[in-house]
Amino acid sequence: MKERYERPIIQPQQPYQMNPFGRTAALEAMTAIESVAVSELVAQYGSPLFVFSERSLRHQYRAARRAFTVRYPKVQFAWSYKTNYLQSICAVFHQEGAWAEVVSEFEYAMARRQGIAGPHIIFNGPFKSKAALCRAVTEGAIINLDCTDELETMLDIADDLGRPLTVGFRVNLDAGLPQSWNRFGFNLENGEARDAVRLAVESGKLIVRGLHCHVGTFILDPEVYRRQAKKLTVFTQEIEADFGIELTYLDLGGGFASTNTLQAQYLAGEQITPSFDQYAEAICSELLALQSRPAGFPLLILESGRALVDEAGSLIATVVATKPLPIGMRGVVLDVGLNALYTATWYRHQVIPAQSFSGFMEESVVYGPLCMNIDVVRDTVMLPPLGLGDRVLIKPVGAYNTSQWMQWIQARPAVVLISEQGEVDLIRERETIEDLAHRERVPSRLGQSGAS
Amino acid sequence: MLARLGTHLKFWYDATLLSYAQILFTKRHLTGWIALGVTFLDFKMGLAGCCAVLASNGLALLFKFNHDTIRTGHYGFNALLLGLALAYRYDLTGSLFILILVGSLLTLLVTVSLTSFMSYYVQLPILSLPFVLVTHLCYLAGTSATSLGLHPKFLSLIGNTLPVTVPSLLEIFFRAVGAILFIPSVEAGALIFLSLLLVSRLLAIFAVLGYAVGVVFLLGLGVAPEILNSGMFGVNLMLTAMALGGVFVIPSPWSYVLAGTGAMLCALMGLAGNALLGSSGLPLLTAPFIMTGLLVLYAMKFREFSPTLQLVTFLPGTPEENLDFAVTQVKRFGSYGGVRFSFPFYGEWTVSQGVHGAHTHKGPWSYAWDFLVHDETGQSFRHTGQQLTDYYAYQLPVLAPADGTVVEVVNWVEDNALGFINTKENWGNKVVLRHASQTYSVLAHLSPKSIRVRVGDMVRRGDCIGLCGNSGRSVEPHVHFQVQSGPDRLAHTLAPTFTRFLQRASADQPLVLVQQSGPETWMHVQNLNADDRLVSALSFPIGKCFRFQVHTATRTWEEKWVVTVDFSGTLFIESIPTGACAWIAINEGTFTVLSYMGHTETALFVLAIGASLVPLTYTEQLVWSDVLPYRYFSSRILRGAIEIVRPLLDLVTVDSQLRFERFADHPLAGGSVTACSVSTAITVKPVVGRWGHRIWKSVIVLDPIQGPCSLRLYAPNGTVKIEAQIIP
Ligand SMILES: Cc1ncc(COP(=O)(O)O)c(C=O)c1O
C-alpha cells in the first residue's frame, strides 16, 4: 500500500495556558455509526448524508420517560415537531408513546397527517389563525393560548359553536435565567396570566384546563426548572382556589440540554449536561406538592425536543478542499455547511475524522461549501491533517437541522435511519433541482429560456 | 294504562311462580309452573297452596315490604308450604281458608323478622324455618279448633292415593320427593324430579345422593324401614344434600362428601326429633333439614381460609350457576378478599429479590420484595456507580401501598456507604402501616430524615411517605416491602394480594397485565395509572343514562342503560327494556364488569363480555386476558353435559384476549376523533380436543365524552351478531 503523504506543520508553543481543546488530544477516528461503516453509507447514499440512530432515539426517550415516571405518577411526553419533523423520526417517538407538540397550523396538519388524533396534539405557538383554532377545537386538540387576541378569537369560536371550549394558557415567568423568554404567553409575575384566567372563567365560555410554560432552550441548570415548577404549582393552587377551576395538566415545555456544546460554553457538553434525572428531580419534587388536590395530580406534559433527538443524528461530510489560511490556521472546506447545518451557529459541534489518521493535530477552521462568509462549521478546532475526499462526522446534529435546513446554493442531503438491528433505511431522498423547480411557474413570455 | 296492567301482571306472575320455585332452590318459572301443577294433582292442596301464596304476597305488598324481594318469591314460599301443610292435615272447609289466611300473615311476619335477624347477626339464610314455626303453631292451635276436621291422611304416607304394592325403590323415592309438596304420590314425585332435572342436574343428583346415603345410614343403624314412609323424612335428607352440596356451598368433589355427611347428620336429627315429638303428634316437617343446614353452614364460617369447600358468599343460584360464578370469580379476581396492595413507587421498578428470595427472604419472612430501578441495559446506576447519587432509585419517592395508619416510624439511621451494610439496624429507616386487622405493611431502607409521616397519621394509597435510601441491611439503594400479620418485627410475613399491575421481563418486551399474584425476581413492574381520558370514557356516574340503537340480523330496538347502585354499594347498569344487568367496578386503574345477568342479545351483553376488564391506561401493544362464564357461549345440551361434570372437571374454558386499538380516527367512532377502542377475541376452548372450539370477536369504541359509543359483536363465522350505536 502506498504510504500517505504527511504535510509538515508548524505550531506555536503555548506554555502555561489552559487547554480548552484538551478533549481533542484524545480524538479518535469514528469509522462507523452504529456499526455501519461510514464508507459503506457514503458509497450507497452519497455525501453529505444525515444518519440517525433509532437505538439512540429510543434510548434517550426511555431514559427521559423513566426519569420522570419514577418521580411523578402522570407523565406524558409530547414530541416537539419543530425540532425534527422527519416522519420516520416522529414515528419512532409516537411509537414510544409520545404525543405531538406543534406550534403552527402547518405543523398541526403534519401531526394529523402522521395519524395523531386531535386529543394527542398540543397546539402552541404565537400564530394560530381562527381557522386553525377551529379545526383544533373540533378535533379535540389541547390548545394553549398565547395572548389576549387569541383568547378573544377563542371566545368567538365558542360563540359560533354554542358550547364552552377547553383551553390552556401559556405563561412566561422569571425562573432565574439571564434573559427570560417573555414574548410568549401571559406574564405570571405582573398578574397578566391571572387576569387572562379570570377573563376566561368569567366569560363562562372557556374551561381552563391547563398551564403551559416553556422557559427557554438548552438550559443547563436544573434549578431553573425547580423555580419554574414551584411558581407554576403555587399559581395552580391560587387560581384553582380563587376561580373554582380544576386544571388537568401542567405543561413544562422543553429546553433540556443535549450533550452539544454551546459556542459560549467553556466545558464540553458531555461533561456538564445534566441527566434527565436531575431535571426530573427538580421538577417533580415541586409538583408533588399538588398531591393534596381533591382531583389528585395533574398530568405533567413535557415537550423536550433537542435532548431527545440531538444525540441520534450525525452528519457525514466530505473534505472538498483544504487551504492554508493567512492567519496560520488550516482551512478545511466540506461539502455541507450552514445550508444543512443551521445549528453550527449555536454549537461547537464535534468534527471527527471518519478514517484512521496520523500526524499532528492542527488548529483548523471548518468551512461549508457556500460562497458566503458566514458559512463556518467550526471557527477553530484541532484536527489531524485531512486530505481531499476524506470524510468527517459532525455530531450531534439531530435537533433542528433537518427542519431548519435550506435549499440554498446546495440541495438538501439525504437522510438515513439505522434500525436497532443495524439495517439502514433511506428516510429522505437527496433533493434535486426538480424539488425546487416544480413549484415555480414561469410566465409564457419568459418560457423559452426555461426548461420545458 | 295497559302498560301499567302489564307490569302488575308480570309482578304477580313472577312473585307467584317464584314462590313455588324457591321450594326447590331455583329461580326459574319452569320449576314454578311444574310445582304449581303438581299441587293441583290434588285439587284441595293446589287451591290451598295458591291461596297461601297469594295471601302472603298480597299482604307483603299491602304492608309495603320491598317490592323486589316480593318478586323473588322470598315472602311467598314459606306461606306456600304452610298452606300445603294445613290442607294436608285438615278438611276442605271455610275455616281452613281462614286459618290459611291468618297463618300466611303470621308466616310473612316471621319471614321478614327472621330474614333481617339472620342476615344481620349470623349471615345465614332462613330456609323454611318460618314454615316450621308457623305450621307447628297452627297445628297446636288446631287441636282445639273443632271446625277443622282432621284429615285422615296425615299419619302415614303409605296407603295413600295408590294401592300399596311392594314399593320398589324408585317408587319410595318418588313418593319421598312428592312429599316436598305434601303430595306423596309417584306421579307428583316424578314430575318434581323431572323439573329438577330440567333446571339443574346437579340438584337432582344431590337429591338422590342425600336420599340414598341417608337411607343406607339408617338401615345400617338398624332402624325399621317404615320410618322412611313417615312424614317428610326423605325430604329432609334430599334438601340437606342439595343445600350443602351445591346451593350454599360451591359444588366440588368435597361438597359431595359434605352433602352425604349432611344427609347422615340430618337422619340422626330426624330420628332424635321423632323420638322427642312422636308423642306430641306434631310432625317434624323440615326441621331436621333446617337444623342440620344452619348448623353446618354456620360452623363452616369459622374455618381458616381453604380452597376446599367454599361457601357461597353471593346471592345463590342453582349449583351450576354458583360454581360458574365461583370459578370465574376466582380465575378473575383471586380467592382472597382482603386488602389489595399497590406497589409503593411511581413508574417502573425491578424486583431485585422476590418471595423466598435467595438472600434474605426466608422462613417466616419469605413474603417480601426488594425493588430498585434499572435502566434499559439492566443497570441500577449511571456513570460508575461509585456514589449513592448514581443509583436511579436513590431518593425516589416511596408511597403508601394501601390506605392505612402509621404505627411505627424510624427516621434516623444513616444511609450506608456503598458496599457496607448495617446489620444492627436491619430495616434501617422504615415505616410500618396498619391496613386491617392482622394486615400490616413495612417499607424499609428509606433515607434518613426523609420520612414525612408520623405515628398515628392516616395515609391514603399512593401518598408519598418518604424517599428511597440505603439504610439498614442494604448494599445498594432499594425499597423493601412486605406485608405481615402484626406490627412488630417478629410477625410472620403474609402473601399479599396486589392490585392489577403491568409487568415485563425486560425493557424491550411488551407489557403484560397481571391480575393476581406477586411479581417474581427480575420482573419489571409498575402500577396501573389511570389515564384521565379512559377514566372518563368508562366512568358510569350514578344516574347517567345511555341510549343505543341496537341491531341484530333480525331485530332493531332502542336500548337504554341506566347506572344505579345496589344495596351493597356496587354500581350496576340496567338495560331497559331488556332487563339485563351488569355489575361493574372502577378502581385502582381498571374498569371491571363483575357479572352480567340477562340474555345474550343486548348491547349491554356486548359491553359485559367485550370490555369485561379494561386497564384505564392506554398502553399500545398491551394485550391482556380475562375469563368469561362459558354459559353464554354454548348450546343448551352441551352446557348440560359440561355442567354435570364440572364440580369434578372443567371441560370448557372461555378466555378473552383484549387490547386497545390506537387512538385514531376510528371508522366506528362516527366522526369523533377522540376515541380509542377495545377489541376483544373470545375463545371458547374445550379442554380436550378441538370440537366446539370457536372464536367470537367484539369491538367497543370508547369516547371520553360519550362513553362507549359503538359496540359490535361478531359471531364465530364473522357476521355481525349485535351492533349498537349510541344516540347522542
Ligand atoms: C413551546 C415549545 N415547546 C418545546 C420546545 C422544544 O424545546 P427543546 O428542543 O429545547 O427541548 C420549544 C422550542 O423552542 C418550544 O418553543
Side-chain angles (χ1 to χ4, degrees):
Chain A
M1 203 178 90
K2 196 173 145 229
E3 254 184 60
R4 207 180 148 122
Y5 167 72
E6 253 173 41
R7 194 162 36 74
I9 63 162
I10 303 175
Q11 251 184 355
Q13 289 283 358
Q14 294 179 318
Y16 315 122
Q17 200 166 345
M18 280 242 292
N19 177 9
F21 307 113
R23 184 163 52 95
T24 55
L27 188 69
E28 269 185 52
M30 251 186 91
T31 57
I33 302 171
E34 296 289 341
S35 313
V36 181
V38 170
S39 54
E40 239 172 70
L41 288 168
V42 174
Q44 186 151 4
Y45 303 101
S47 169
L49 178 69
F50 275 102
V51 182
F52 280 87
S53 152
E54 193 174 329
R55 190 195 56 76
S56 165
L57 292 173
R58 293 191 190 273
H59 173 83
Q60 285 298 99
Y61 184 87
R62 290 175 190 174
R65 187 181 53 196
R66 185 188 58 244
F68 281 90
T69 53
V70 294
R71 290 177 169 88
Y72 191 78
K74 286 183 169 176
V75 180
Q76 180 62 52
F77 280 82
W79 174 238
S80 165
Y81 265 48
K82 72 171 107 34
T83 316
N84 188 326
Y85 40 60
L86 288 173
Q87 293 174 36
S88 308
I89 304 294
C90 296
V92 170
F93 289 121
H94 291 317
Q95 239 180 29
E96 290 287 328
W99 294 357
E101 186 263 338
V102 301
V103 291
S104 68
E105 191 167 2
F106 172 71
E107 284 192 356
Y108 185 90
M110 217 179 259
R112 292 290 291 128
R113 196 171 169 278
Q114 190 90 19
I116 305 305
H120 287 177
I121 300 178
I122 295 161
F123 195 6
N124 294 328
F127 169 42
K128 312 183 193 89
S129 68
K130 184 168 179 187
L133 285 170
C134 269
R135 176 176 184 190
V137 163
T138 46
E139 295 183 341
I142 296 173
I143 300 168
N144 292 318
L145 300 179
D146 195 71
C147 60
T148 321
D149 291 326
E150 224 168 63
L151 180 62
E152 299 289 344
T153 313
M154 275 308 260
L155 289 171
D156 282 351
I157 298 175
D159 282 336
D160 294 349
L161 296 181
R163 63 176 166 98
L165 309 177
T166 55
V167 294
F169 283 99
R170 175 156 185 174
V171 300
N172 64 64
L173 49 80
D174 178 7
L177 280 174
Q179 309 141 313
S180 53
W181 286 21
N182 51 22
R183 52 168 287 206
F184 302 110
F186 301 83
N187 186 265
L188 189 97
E189 287 88 2
N190 72 8
E192 193 191 0
R194 195 187 149 86
D195 290 344
V197 173
R198 169 179 321 142
L199 215 152
V201 173
E202 286 176 357
S203 76
K205 298 171 198 164
L206 299 180
I207 302 166
V208 183
R209 273 297 147 77
L211 296 174
H212 171 247
C213 175
H214 173 78
V215 281
T217 190
F218 214 88
I219 293 165
L220 288 164
D221 182 6
E223 291 310 303
V224 168
Y225 287 99
R226 194 184 301 280
R227 291 188 283 267
Q228 177 206 22
K230 173 144 199 151
K231 284 193 167 182
L232 285 176
T233 306
V234 171
F235 186 58
T236 300
Q237 288 165 331
E238 256 172 44
I239 57 175
E240 287 191 336
D242 295 354
F243 303 121
I245 53 175
E246 195 176 89
L247 301 190
T248 57
Y249 69 89
L250 289 180
D251 182 338
L252 270 76
F256 303 152
S258 70
T259 56
N260 249 314
T261 310
L262 292 177
Q263 294 284 12
Q265 197 173 313
Y266 188 74
L267 289 167
E270 294 120 90
Q271 292 163 34
I272 60 160
T273 299
S275 64
F276 287 121
D277 291 272
Q278 286 169 284
Y279 289 121
E281 197 279 326
I283 292 173
C284 298
S285 56
E286 291 299 333
L287 294 191
L288 286 182
L290 293 171
Q291 171 143 41
S292 51
R293 288 165 89 233
F297 290 108
L299 180 68
L300 166 60
I301 301 177
L302 295 153
E303 302 169 347
S304 198
R306 65 178 82 239
L308 297 182
V309 76
D310 221 4
E311 262 65 39
S314 318
L315 176 60
I316 302 176
T318 305
V319 177
V320 293
T322 69
K323 35 179 110 167
L325 300 176
I327 48 172
M329 299 210 289
R330 194 79 198 162
V332 177
V333 185
L334 302 179
D335 58 355
V336 62
L338 286 196
N339 56 317
L341 198 63
Y342 180 81
T343 53
T345 59
W346 262 74
Y347 292 137
R348 298 203 307 259
H349 290 297
Q350 295 177 50
V351 178
I352 305 167
Q355 56 280 307
S356 61
F357 56 84
S358 56
F360 285 100
M361 300 294 233
E362 193 178 3
E363 203 171 349
S364 317
V365 186
V366 182
Y367 297 114
L370 310 185
C371 191
M372 292 292 286
N373 203 33
I374 54 160
D375 191 19
V376 180
V377 174
R378 285 293 300 267
D379 56 6
T380 158
V381 59
M382 296 301 279
L383 282 177
L386 291 168
L388 214 63
D390 278 354
R391 317 280 182 205
V392 293
L393 287 184
I394 305 171
K395 43 176 265 179
V397 299
Y400 293 101
N401 287 309
T402 54
S403 43
Q404 296 191 58
W405 53 4
M406 46 197 157
Q407 295 151 315
W408 188 44
I409 304 180
Q410 300 286 332
R412 290 166 176 158
V415 186
V416 297
L417 176 66
I418 303 179
S419 78
E420 289 179 288
Q421 286 72 39
E423 301 136 349
V424 183
D425 289 299
L426 181 65
I427 59 170
R428 195 174 199 278
E429 292 176 3
R430 173 180 306 277
E431 287 186 355
T432 67
I433 284 195
E434 285 315 309
D435 290 305
L436 262 175
H438 89 282
R439 287 284 175 208
E440 295 196 33
R441 298 285 178 272
V442 182
S444 56
R445 70 196 143 81
L446 307 174
Q448 293 314 308
S449 58
S452 60
Chain B
M1 185 58 208
L2 263 180
R4 279 273 306 276
L5 191 67
T7 45
H8 276 301
L9 279 180
K10 175 86 176 89
F11 171 80
W12 279 104
Y13 173 74
D14 286 346
T16 311
L17 283 180
L18 295 183
S19 297
Y20 281 85
Q22 283 252 4
I23 293 183
L24 295 169
F25 294 119
T26 85
K27 294 176 184 139
R28 301 286 173 78
H29 292 93
L30 176 69
T31 324
W33 276 118
I34 295 181
L36 180 69
V38 167
T39 57
F40 275 98
L41 284 179
D42 181 336
F43 182 75
K44 180 181 78 171
M45 300 291 282
L47 195 63
C50 232
C51 287
V53 170
L54 292 177
S56 178
N57 285 339
L59 287 167
L61 201 61
L62 199 66
F63 291 158
K64 298 232 176 319
F65 288 116
N66 185 294
H67 211 259
D68 294 329
T69 315
I70 304 175
R71 185 187 278 264
T72 63
H74 181 74
Y75 293 145
F77 80 96
N78 273 292
L80 166 64
L81 287 171
L82 173 81
L84 295 173
L86 294 180
Y88 187 74
R89 183 171 176 125
Y90 300 117
D91 283 334
L92 186 60
T93 59
S95 325
L96 173 63
F97 287 95
I98 293 171
L99 188 61
I100 287 177
L101 189 67
V102 178
S104 297
L105 173 62
L106 195 54
T107 313
L108 174 68
L109 298 178
V110 175
T111 303
V112 170
S113 317
L114 264 185
T115 305
S116 151
F117 179 85
M118 302 270 284
S119 66
Y120 186 81
Y121 287 101
V122 286
Q123 288 92 42
L124 286 174
I126 55 164
L127 305 176
S128 44
L129 192 50
F131 150 66
V132 175
L133 292 178
V134 178
T135 306
H136 279 176
L137 279 175
C138 290
Y139 281 2
L140 286 173
T143 48
S144 40
T146 47
S147 61
L148 292 163
L150 257 202
H151 198 264
K153 276 184 202 160
F154 170 64
L155 294 174
S156 157
L157 294 188
I158 290 176
N160 199 351
T161 44
L162 277 183
V164 187
T165 56
V166 180
S168 69
L169 274 177
L170 215 54
E171 203 183 311
I172 301 181
F173 175 70
F174 281 145
R175 280 165 184 262
V177 175
I180 290 183
L181 294 177
F182 290 82
I183 309 204
S185 74
V186 175
E187 300 98 314
L191 274 172
I192 294 171
F193 194 70
L194 178 74
S195 85
L196 275 187
L197 272 179
L198 285 177
V199 169
S200 162
R201 272 63 53 193
L202 289 178
L203 274 181
I205 291 175
F206 286 122
V208 175
L209 177 80
Y211 191 69
V213 171
V215 170
V216 171
F217 173 71
L218 287 176
L219 296 180
L221 285 182
V223 175
E226 287 85 44
I227 193 143
L228 292 174
N229 285 335
S230 69
M232 299 179 98
F233 217 104
V235 170
N236 278 298
L237 299 178
M238 289 177 222
L239 290 178
T240 307
M242 283 151 84
L244 298 181
V247 177
F248 299 106
V249 176
I250 311 287
S252 70
W254 281 103
S255 84
Y256 280 86
V257 177
L258 185 68
T261 321
M264 292 195 271
L265 291 178
C266 176
L268 207 65
M269 298 237 187
L271 280 183
N274 260 352
L276 209 63
L277 287 187
S279 55
S280 75
L282 281 181
L284 281 175
L285 304 173
T286 54
F289 150 63
I290 294 166
M291 275 157 50
T292 318
L294 293 183
L295 182 69
V296 172
L297 291 178
Y298 191 62
M300 274 180 62
K301 286 181 193 285
F302 299 96
R303 298 179 315 148
E304 286 201 359
F305 173 79
S306 138
T308 55
L309 282 185
Q310 293 189 51
L311 294 179
V312 172
T313 51
F314 40 90
L315 217 58
T318 62
E320 284 85 346
E321 286 162 354
N322 292 342
L323 179 59
D324 187 43
F325 191 74
V327 167
T328 320
Q329 212 68 4
V330 168
K331 280 192 190 158
R332 297 183 69 196
F333 309 118
S335 46
Y336 173 71
V339 181
R340 283 181 168 264
F341 290 91
S342 306
F343 295 125
F345 43 72
Y346 295 131
E348 187 176 55
W349 290 49
T350 304
V351 180
S352 63
Q353 200 193 163
V355 172
H356 303 297
H359 309 290
T360 47
H361 301 169
K362 298 201 154 107
W365 297 281
S366 291
Y367 292 102
W369 283 264
D370 287 336
F371 298 103
L372 44 71
V373 177
H374 273 172
D375 63 17
E376 268 186 290
T377 61
Q379 259 190 357
S380 55
F381 53 84
R382 63 188 147 253
H383 306 312
T384 50
Q386 280 161 349
Q387 291 173 333
L388 283 178
T389 50
D390 285 351
Y391 285 78
Y392 297 119
Y394 192 59
Q395 301 285 353
L396 290 188
V398 175
L399 318 176
D403 296 353
T405 315
V406 179
V407 294
E408 192 189 348
V409 170
V410 175
N411 202 9
W412 53 269
V413 185
E414 287 307 311
D415 277 332
N416 305 322
L418 283 162
F420 294 88
I421 56 168
N422 179 348
T423 45
K424 248 180 40 218
E425 295 296 331
N426 186 57
W427 292 133
N429 302 307
K430 66 172 176 181
V431 175
V432 181
L433 300 171
R434 179 186 190 276
H435 304 284
S437 79
Q438 301 200 13
T439 313
Y440 293 76
S441 70
V442 181
L443 295 152
H445 310 308
L446 307 187
S447 230
K449 311 213 168 54
S450 74
I451 298 175
R452 304 161 192 203
V453 291
R454 279 175 302 178
V455 172
D457 283 358
M458 308 271 278
V459 291
R460 283 187 313 168
R461 180 189 304 275
D463 281 354
C464 180
I465 54 171
L467 302 178
C468 174
N470 194 38
S471 61
R473 188 164 173 167
S474 172
V475 279
E476 69 166 282
H478 76 281
V479 174
H480 173 103
F481 169 68
Q482 67 182 38
V483 175
Q484 56 187 36
S485 58
D488 54 73
R489 65 165 61 205
L490 294 175
H492 64 91
T493 59
L494 306 171
T497 326
F498 288 94
T499 56
R500 295 189 184 86
F501 60 90
L502 295 176
Q503 170 174 294
R504 56 182 165 181
S506 69
D508 50 9
Q509 290 193 350
L511 290 162
V512 176
L513 180 74
V514 181
Q515 309 252 34
Q516 326 163 14
S517 84
E520 293 183 3
T521 307
W522 302 128
M523 282 296 166
H524 300 227
V525 295
Q526 54 183 302
N527 290 321
L528 282 170
N529 265 318
D531 172 326
D532 292 344
R533 296 210 177 112
L534 268 170
V535 170
S536 81
L538 280 170
S539 74
F540 288 90
I542 297 168
K544 179 149 180 186
C545 281
F546 299 83
R547 288 189 310 136
F548 295 91
Q549 193 65 41
V550 195
H551 304 274
T552 61
T554 52
R555 286 193 316 135
T556 297
W557 68 94
E558 196 184 305
E559 189 172 320
K560 193 165 117 187
W561 295 359
V562 183
V563 185
T564 335
V565 63
D566 74 6
F567 60 90
S568 69
T570 312
L571 280 180
F572 73 98
I573 308 171
E574 197 179 346
S575 153
I576 300 165
T578 68
C581 275
W583 280 261
I584 59 172
I586 302 164
N587 48 28
E588 275 94 54
T590 49
F591 168 87
T592 328
V593 178
L594 301 172
S595 63
Y596 173 80
M597 257 169 57
H599 63 90
T600 59
E601 237 179 47
T602 68
L604 191 58
F605 175 68
V606 185
L607 181 84
I609 62 165
S612 59
L613 172 66
V614 183
L616 295 173
T617 165
Y618 175 76
T619 315
E620 221 162 302
Q621 291 172 335
L622 179 69
V623 176
W624 66 98
S625 55
D626 198 5
V627 176
L628 298 173
Y630 69 93
R631 63 172 179 276
Y632 307 132
F633 303 98
S634 48
S635 68
R636 204 172 265 272
I637 296 172
L638 184 65
R639 202 189 312 159
I642 295 167
E643 283 172 350
I644 291 185
V645 285
R646 201 159 186 224
L648 315 172
L649 176 68
D650 231 341
L651 282 184
V652 173
T653 59
V654 180
D655 296 323
S656 63
Q657 288 259 309
L658 303 94
R659 70 193 158 83
F660 289 120
E661 274 173 15
R662 223 177 126 168
F663 271 94
D665 311 51
H666 199 286
L668 288 180
S672 157
V673 286
T674 59
C676 95
S677 67
V678 182
S679 82
T680 307
I682 298 157
T683 312
V684 182
K685 249 197 325 249
V687 171
V688 281
R690 285 192 54 84
W691 187 69
H693 186 279
R694 273 165 301 137
I695 299 180
W696 295 69
K697 290 207 165 69
S698 74
V699 176
I700 298 174
V701 179
L702 302 172
D703 181 279
I705 296 155
Q706 299 184 69
C709 56
S710 162
L711 306 103
R712 268 192 196 191
L713 177 66
Y714 299 89
N717 62 12
T719 56
V720 177
K721 177 105 192 305
I722 304 174
E723 177 170 7
Q725 201 72 41
I726 203 160
I727 305 169

